[in-house]
């Protein structure tokens, strides 16, 4: 038995990542005692990949940016896990041609579906790449938060446009191509045979309160963020939604 694979990652926990890491840690504990094959789609510089590799797992990061992958490689080497991290350059839309079917125990797809050409095809490729019993961690931009954020900042026209747009987009200058709510994101996963087990809000409060409030009592802020993350309606106004789903 590889004892390294029994460790769980301990990256710096912030209000922006705590809800996601809480779910991922439970999944790693579920598979304690074995090395997982992890695929991180759009994983960039390795904010999730390197801690997972440090916990003893094998991680492949697919990302379109050569600069991000170069930073990932350096980060993995500095952490002493270069042998457990593989960098693959490619777009999320090309995922089906980059990953072998049924090869991954855990797939991370964070902040990807908002920018790809065909999100349904990316999710289909993710579903095909999972082994039976494998899980996917999906993080997407929340539609409700974007509407509220624009409204409270006085951009009422943009808020109305975003609300009325089928894709949750605030006009042609919007930097994202689409946003989701719990129902639309769940439907993408269910359509490829995945069962959604958990939905959490990420950054429920972090993007609403002044930075000084967070800095004054970061532990209290973290605890409140986690307490609200799984509770509608608070969950549903988070800046991002985190869905955790499994292949039966």
């Amino acid at each position: 038995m590889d004892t390294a694979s029994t460790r769980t990652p301990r990256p710096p926990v912030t209000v922006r990542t705590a809800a996601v890491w809480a779910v991922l840690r439970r999944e790693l504990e579920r598979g304690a005692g074995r090395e997982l094959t992890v695929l991180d789609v759009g994983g960039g510089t390795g904010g999730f990949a390197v801690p997972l590799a440090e916990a003893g797992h094998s991680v492949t990061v697919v990302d379109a940016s050569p600069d991000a992958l170069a930073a990932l490689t350096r980060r993995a080497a500095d952490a002493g896990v270069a042998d457990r991290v593989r960098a693959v350059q490619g777009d999320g839309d090309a995922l089906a041609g980059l990953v072998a079917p049924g090869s991954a125990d855990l797939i991370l797809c964070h902040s990807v579906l908002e920018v790809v050409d065909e999100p349904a095809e990316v999710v289909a490729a993710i579903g095909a790449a999972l082994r039976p019993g494998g899980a996917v961690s999906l993080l997407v931009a929340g539609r409700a938060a974007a509407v509220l954020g624009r409204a409270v900042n006085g951009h009422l026209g943009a808020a109305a446009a975003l609300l009325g747009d089928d894709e949750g987009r605030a006009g042609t200058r919007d930097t994202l191509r689409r946003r989701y709510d719990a129902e639309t994101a769940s439907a993408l996963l269910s359509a490829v045979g995945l069962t959604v087990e958990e939905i959490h809000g990420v950054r429920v409060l972090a993007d609403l309160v002044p930075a000084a409030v967070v800095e004054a009592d970061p532990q209290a802020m973290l605890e409140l963020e986690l307490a609200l993350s799984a509770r509608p309606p608070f969950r549903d106004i988070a800046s991002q939604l985190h869905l955790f789903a499994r292949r039966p």
Side-chain angles (χ1 to χ4, degrees), residues 128-246:
L130 280 174
R131 292 173 178 151
V136 56
S137 168
L138 179 69
L139 190 64
V140 294
R143 180 172 182 152
V147 173
L148 292 174
R150 283 162 174 75
V152 299
N153 284 296
H155 305 300
L156 301 184
L162 197 154
L163 181 63
D165 186 80
D166 289 342
E167 297 290 337
R169 197 176 188 209
T172 57
R173 294 187 177 182
D174 198 332
T175 56
L176 298 183
R177 301 176 70 170
R178 61 190 66 84
R179 292 176 179 83
Y180 296 88
D181 53 34
E183 291 73 22
T184 54
S186 295
L188 277 174
L189 296 168
S190 298
V192 298
L194 302 180
T195 301
V196 177
E197 296 183 343
E198 301 182 62
I199 303 177
H200 291 87
V202 176
R203 291 154 52 197
V204 177
L205 296 177
D207 294 345
L208 296 177
V209 303
V213 174
V214 180
E215 294 166 1
D217 195 341
Q219 186 59 35
M221 185 68 185
L222 177 61
E223 291 173 1
L224 185 56
E225 183 81 21
L226 287 172
L228 296 176
S229 66
R231 298 186 185 184
F234 308 106
R235 176 198 76 183
D236 299 313
I237 63 168
S239 295
Q240 294 175 299
L241 295 173
H242 181 237
L243 291 85
F244 195 74
R246 193 174 305 279

Side-chain angles (χ1 to χ4, degrees), residues 12-25 48 202-203 222-223 225-226 229:
V13 175
T14 71
V15 294
R16 292 175 175 270
T17 62
V20 177
W21 273 118
V23 176
L24 291 178
R25 286 194 184 111
F48 283 89
V202 176
R203 291 154 52 197
L222 177 61
E223 291 173 1
E225 183 81 21
L226 287 172
S229 66

